[in-house]
Structures are given as C-alpha cells and as structure tokens.
C-alpha cells in the first residue's frame, strides 16, 4: 500500500528498470500457470509481467482509486479493498502464491496480513526495504531518519509505519512459526550474499507454512 | 477521435413474441410484446451488442431523446452515447422494457386479448429469471447469439448476473453495478411497506383499478417517497436539503414545512402520474425473490459455478440499500470460481442513486473496462 500515493506511483515508473529486476526475481519463485494474488498491486505491473512471462492467473488487491483504474486499463484483475481489513474475502489455500511487494512496511496490521497470506496462499512472497541497509544506518548515525530510493519519504509524510531490518523479519518468521524457504537480498537489483542486513537494500522472502 | 455527445433522436420499437412463455411461477404468457430501443450499429458478425437491464422504475428509453425539446434524455444518457463510457461508436446498445412493466412491454396495464380488459390483477408475478428468458428471445429476434456485455445497476445488475448463469455462453462480460446476490430482510421490508401502501389504497381495487378509472395514487406516491429516502444517503439528503425550511417561519402545521418534504412530495406526485402501481408491486417482488444461491443451499459460489463471463462488479460506499458488503459477496463467489473479475468500490456520496450519477472516476472505470472488450471483426 505504499504504492498507493501518486508520488510513489511516479517513483514506480521512474524506476521501472530496477523494479523489473525485482519482478524477475519474484517470477523465479512462481510456477508457470500459477494462481497468484498480489496485495497492494499498484497499477498491476507485476501481475501484468507475471501474466506475460508465466501465464499466471492473477488477481490484485488495491485500495487507491487511481491504481484500480490503472489495473482495469491494463487488463489486470483487481479487487478494490483495504488490506488492513484482512483477507476474509478469500478462501483458505485458494491461491498458489500470495505476494506482498514493498507494502509490508506501510501496513498497520502487519502481523495479521502475513498470517492471512499464509492462510490464503500455499506460499507467500514478501518483499520490503531493508531498514538495516548501510546507507540508512549512516543517515541515522548522522542524526537523521533515512531517505533513500527504497524509502523515498521524509519522516513527516511517509506512509511507512512498520519498517524493519532483515534480522527483524527473520526473528518475526521464527517467532510466528513461518518457514522461510528462500531469501534473496538485492541492492540495485543485484544479489547480495555478504552481510545482507548491512549491504542489502531490498529483502525478498519466500515463505511457507511450518506444518 | 470521438466526441462526447448524445445518441440524438431515438425511437422505440416493438417486438412481438407469439411463442408462449412459461414463467417461473408456472403461469404462461401466451404471447407478449417487448418494447426496446437500440443505439449504435450492430457489426457484421453481431458480436458488439450490449444489453442494458433496467432497475425498478427504469424503461427501455436509456439514451437520447424522442424529440429535440424533450426535457430529459433517457435514464442512463450520461453513460451511453458516442464517445461516452459505453461508446455507441463501438457498441450496439439495446435498452428493453421488462415484462410486467408499464412503458410499452406487456404488463398489467396491457389489454388482455382474450378479455378485452387490462390484465390488472391477473398479470402474473414475474421474476428476474423470466426477464432474462424474455430478453434472450429478444436477442434471438435481433439475431444476437452472444452479447459483448450485459450491463445493469441495482435490479438491473441482478439481471446481468442472472444472464451469466442462465445463458453462460451468450454473455462475454457482465457489469454488475450496485447490486446484491439477494435482498436482506431490511431491504425486503422496505419493499413490503411500499407494497402495503399501494395495496391498502382504497383505489387499488385488488389491482383492477383500471376498470374503475382510478389509480391508487396515494399508495404509489408513498411507495415512491419511501424508495427515494432509501436510494439516497443521509449525507446526500443533508447536503441537498439539510433542515432548510420551505417558509421563513415555522407554521406549526402538517403542511410542507421543510424543503425535504417538498422534494419527496414532488417526486411522489410525479411518479404516481406516470408509473403503474401493479408494475411497482411486481418489480419489488422480482427483487425479493431474486436469490440464485437458494437452489444451492445458500451457497452462492456453487450457484455461480455455471458462469463463464468476465465480470466487472461496482459498488458505492454510501449505498446502504445495496451495500458494498453485498457486492463483495458476489466478488467472493466469482473468485471462488476463478472467474475473471475486477471490483471497484467507489467512494460516492449519493447512496444507491450513485450508479446513475456521472461521477468521473466511476465513468472512467466503466470506460476502461469496456474499452478492453474485444470482439471479432470489429477491432
């Protein structure tokens, strides 16, 4: 839902090139023809990409009118609703994959949505900006709230309310009995394997139920 | 580039059907007429047809005017026309008056050929299923095998949904706007009050008022006044009237004191002049009885398993008579069947009437959806 404001929609298009690399990374975790639910789907670009490359059957969830309209224009199925209300409109295990792409940090009901994703989906993919990224740490040490490509907001106008580090999310998954099947950390679209919680700017998790 | 304009001067047509139609209630209509209008041009392979289903008080006169100096155009003129969201440069649009109506199609006011008198109380109680069946015959009459889209708001949206269930291969897209999978008890209760107002009017005569040369105007008027309240939101009425007084001082009487009363009385009077009370009874009953899930033990997902169409479902936040929750039930059932569906929950102040309003975002969503509809030969 951080993708909801016009400001961020603009950013989204400006960074289309790097975002495509996110798309490609997400796509690697999704099977051809899978049934996919993209939460906070923006203008439907990811679903459009997955449809064109993997022939997925996709549905998006969006709150913002402008994005819902964009999805309809792009021929992407979109359900207009507020994620904060949960996913009660979706049956348990009715999707192969539920995606929450760079929206986690803007959710109030963070805990609830991740658990609901794993109820509705056989798998979940969660991506978020790593608050522990070294550029963020330096800005904090210098005395200011971080502003970066992945966190393009000033502290007073940010939609982000639940920022976390990779280490935080690892702990979250452990505490909630969520199985992390794969994790990929990117900076400028390139994988980061050394000191990911410091050198990685974007975290991507592939999650499953621990049962 | 197409300009946003009117379909211009239009004229209704009448299709006569001499093959009997067995209704859901068991009664048989030996023959009947449907009055309809069309806008735009049917393409060579007849794949660009769109059917508009009307709501409780709607008619076949959806767009355009009959004469230049008509005060008002058809009831959905802001949606339909050259360059409008439902673009008649591209689509062939059909408006039809439903069976049991009072605008030209066979209904209670029609003269029964066997008796030479109006059908009146003997006109059967028609259902959404019956309308869809009769509309399918109109499609046959026009040579249309499959509709590019069927569009309706409110009771019209119920017909669009029913079309997708009864004739899954005859509708490519269903636009279900401000509708519900069935009425709630509260919603049916409003219908019952409206019907009681009509039925207890001394001039109702059990539905055979025509032969007494009267109409149950008082009942119909109250029914309409009640309806109007429920079609608007509290906020919309507040914005329109608030507590504005009709006169400068309080008169301590039961005459019109507040502007709102004046408006309701005017709407009631206007409606009672033209609309038929027997039709009103039947339209509200069609609403009450609509419930595709009932044959599936209330399982709407099972009921919608037959559908093949793509769907656009639209609801309006301030609509409390057909609330957003009810549209979400439809959406969930469509999702359960993995159908292609988009759902727009529009922020609107006008209540149920919002589906008739020219809200730019609402129209943009409908336009975007319809523009993506492809049909053979006419791309």
């Amino acid at each position: 839902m951080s993708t909801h404001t016009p400001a961020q929609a603009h950013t989204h298009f400006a960074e289309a090139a790097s975002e495509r690399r996110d798309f490609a990374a997400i796509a690697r975790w999704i099977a051809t023809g899978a049934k996919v639910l993209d939460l906070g789907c923006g203008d439907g670009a990811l679903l459009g990409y997955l449809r064109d490359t993997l022939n997925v059957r996709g549905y998006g969830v969006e709150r913002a009118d402008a994005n819902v309209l964009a999805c309809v224009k792009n021929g992407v199925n979109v359900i207009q609703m507020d994620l904060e209300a949960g996913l009660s409109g979706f049956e348990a295990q009715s999707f192969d994959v539920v995606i929450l792409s760079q929206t986690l940090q803007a959710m109030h009901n963070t805990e609830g949505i991740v658990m609901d994703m794993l109820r509705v989906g056989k798998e979940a993919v969660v991506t978020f900006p790593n608050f522990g990224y070294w550029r963020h740490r330096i800005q904090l040490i210098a005395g200011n709230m971080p502003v970066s490509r992945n966190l393009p907001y000033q502290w007073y106008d940010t939609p982000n309310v639940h920022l976390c580090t990779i280490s935080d999310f690892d702990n979250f998954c452990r505490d909630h009995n969520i199985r992390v099947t794969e994790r990929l950390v990117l900076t400028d679209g390139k994988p980061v394997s050394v000191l990911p919680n410091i050198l990685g700017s974007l975290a991507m998790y592939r999650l499953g139920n621990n049962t | 580039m197409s300009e946003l304009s009117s379909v211009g001067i239009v004229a209704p047509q009448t299709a006569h059907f001499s093959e009997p139609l067995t209704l859901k209630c068991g009664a048989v209509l030996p023959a009947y007429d449907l009055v309809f209008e069309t806008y735009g041009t049917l393409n060579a392979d007849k794949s660009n047809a769109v059917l508009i289903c009307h709501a409780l008080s709607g008619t076949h006169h959806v767009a355009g005017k009959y004469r230049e100096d008509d005060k008002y155009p058809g009831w959905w003129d802001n949606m339909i026309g050259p360059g409008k969201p439902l673009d008649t440069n591209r689509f062939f649009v059909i408006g039809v008056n439903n069976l049991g109506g009072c605008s030209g199609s066979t209904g209670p006011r029609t003269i029964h050929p066997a008796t030479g008198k109006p059908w009146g109380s003997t006109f059967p109680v028609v259902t959404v299923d019956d309308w869809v069946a009769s509309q399918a015959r109109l499609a046959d009459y026009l040579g249309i095998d499959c509709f590019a889209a069927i569009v309706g708001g409110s009771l019209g949206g119920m017909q669009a949904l029913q079309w997708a269930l009864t004739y899954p291969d005859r509708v490519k897209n269903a636009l279900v706007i401000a509708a519900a999978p069935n009425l709630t008890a509260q919603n049916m209760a409003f219908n019952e009050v409206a019907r009681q107002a009509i039925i207890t009017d001394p001039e109702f005569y059990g539905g055979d008022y025509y032969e007494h040369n009267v109409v149950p105007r008082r009942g119909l008027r109250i029914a309409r006044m009640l309806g109007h309240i429920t079609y608007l939101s509290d906020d919309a009425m507040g914005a329109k009237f608030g507590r504005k007084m009709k006169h400068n001082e309080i008169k301590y009487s039961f005459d019109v004191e507040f502007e709102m009363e004046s408006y309701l009385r005017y709407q009631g009077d206007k409606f009672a002049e033209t609309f038929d009370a027997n039709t009103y009874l039947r339209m509200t009953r069609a609403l009450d009885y609509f419930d595709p899930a009932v044959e599936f033990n209330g399982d709407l997902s099972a009921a919608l398993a037959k559908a093949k169409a793509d769907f656009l479902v639209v609801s309006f936040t301030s609509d409390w008579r057909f609330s957003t929750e009810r549209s979400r039930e439809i959406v969930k059932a469509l999702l359960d069947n993995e159908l292609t569906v988009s759902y727009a929950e529009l922020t609107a102040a006008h209540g149920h009437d919002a589906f008739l309003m020219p809200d730019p975002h609402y129209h943009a969503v409908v336009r975007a959806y319809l523009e993506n509809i492809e049909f053979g030969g006419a791309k």
Side-chain angles (χ1 to χ4, degrees), chain B residues 47 50 90-91 148-149 172-173 175 368-375 379:
Chain B
S47 59
V50 175
R90 213 170 151 243
F91 291 106
K172 291 256 195 270
N173 293 272
L175 282 75
Y369 186 86
L370 291 170
E371 277 177 355
N372 276 342
I373 294 178
E374 294 177 2
F375 39 81
K379 279 183 74 181

Side-chain angles (χ1 to χ4, degrees), chain A residues 35 57 59 65-66 68-69 72-80 88-91 94-95, chain B residues 312 331-332 334-336 338-347 361 364-365 368-369 372:
Chain A
K35 191 180 170 196
R57 291 165 295 150
Y59 298 86
D65 285 346
V68 170
L69 176 59
V72 174
K73 278 188 178 159
N74 292 332
V76 169
N77 294 329
V78 61
I79 309 300
Q80 186 164 25
S88 60
F90 300 93
E91 283 292 321
S94 58
F95 283 85
Chain B
L312 177 66
V331 170
K332 179 173 185 303
L334 296 170
L335 283 171
D336 287 345
E338 301 190 3
L339 287 162
T340 295
V341 53
S342 279
Y343 170 58
E345 190 169 294
L346 301 176
T347 305
H361 177 63
V365 169
Y369 186 86
N372 276 342

Side-chain angles (χ1 to χ4, degrees), chain B residues 163-183:
Chain B
W163 255 98
L165 305 182
T166 310
Y167 300 107
D169 294 315
R170 299 193 72 176
V171 48
K172 291 256 195 270
N173 293 272
L175 282 75
V176 178
I177 302 171
N182 60 22
L183 293 194

Side-chain angles (χ1 to χ4, degrees), chain B residues 170-201:
Chain B
R170 299 193 72 176
V171 48
K172 291 256 195 270
N173 293 272
L175 282 75
V176 178
I177 302 171
N182 60 22
L183 293 194
T184 60
Q186 185 196 48
N187 203 332
M188 288 191 291
F190 286 119
N191 286 343
E192 172 60 3
V193 174
R195 280 191 301 269
Q196 283 299 311
I198 291 167
I199 289 167
T200 59
D201 186 315

Side-chain angles (χ1 to χ4, degrees), chain B residues 119-177:
Chain B
W119 278 83
S121 62
T122 66
F123 195 88
V125 173
V126 284
T127 64
V128 168
D129 300 56
D130 298 330
W131 288 335
V132 167
S134 66
Q135 289 159 0
R137 289 197 184 171
L138 179 65
D140 297 340
Y141 170 90
L142 294 168
I144 295 157
D145 191 44
C146 180
F147 284 102
I150 298 189
V151 185
S154 189
L155 177 55
M158 292 171 162
Q159 291 163 64
L161 179 57
Q162 188 62 50
W163 255 98
L165 305 182
T166 310
Y167 300 107
D169 294 315
R170 299 193 72 176
V171 48
K172 291 256 195 270
N173 293 272
L175 282 75
V176 178
I177 302 171

Side-chain angles (χ1 to χ4, degrees), chain A residues 36-196:
Chain A
V36 176
L37 183 64
D38 183 13
L39 305 178
C41 67
D43 63 1
L46 173 60
L47 281 172
Y49 175 83
L50 295 175
R51 177 191 60 202
D52 296 344
T53 55
L54 293 172
N55 199 27
V56 302
R57 291 165 295 150
Y59 298 86
V61 170
E62 249 298 333
R63 183 179 59 183
D65 285 346
N67 283 332
V68 170
L69 176 59
C71 286
V72 174
K73 278 188 178 159
N74 292 332
V76 169
N77 294 329
V78 61
I79 309 300
Q80 186 164 25
M81 56 173 266
D82 187 349
L83 288 180
E84 299 289 357
L87 302 178
S88 60
F90 300 93
E91 283 292 321
Q93 300 295 293
S94 58
F95 283 85
D96 295 314
V97 186
V98 181
I99 301 170
L100 188 68
S101 174
Q102 303 206 46
T103 299
L104 181 79
Q105 74 281 359
M107 295 280 309
H108 285 268
N109 184 22
T110 314
E111 201 173 8
I113 197 70
V114 174
M115 301 317 287
D116 228 8
M117 286 172 75
L118 287 166
R119 177 186 66 82
V120 169
K122 298 181 180 90
E123 284 192 287
V125 171
V126 174
T127 80
F128 58 87
N130 175 28
F131 199 70
Y133 183 43
W134 66 272
R135 288 182 187 276
H136 300 156
R137 296 183 190 223
I138 284 177
Q139 288 182 64
L140 270 177
I141 289 166
N144 297 105
M145 281 298 283
V147 177
S148 68
R149 177 186 289 185
N150 280 334
L151 296 175
Y153 299 100
Q154 293 295 332
W155 63 271
Y156 50 82
D157 73 349
T158 179
N160 297 330
V161 292
H162 279 147
L163 291 161
C164 69
T165 68
I166 288 171
S167 172
D168 289 330
F169 196 74
D170 283 340
N171 293 341
F172 174 89
C173 292
R174 187 194 61 221
D175 295 346
H176 290 81
N177 210 25
I178 294 166
R179 187 161 47 94
V180 178
T181 49
E182 287 191 72
R183 191 185 77 183
L184 180 64
V185 178
L186 300 177
T187 298
D188 297 329
K190 296 186 193 73
V192 176
S193 49
V194 180
L195 298 175

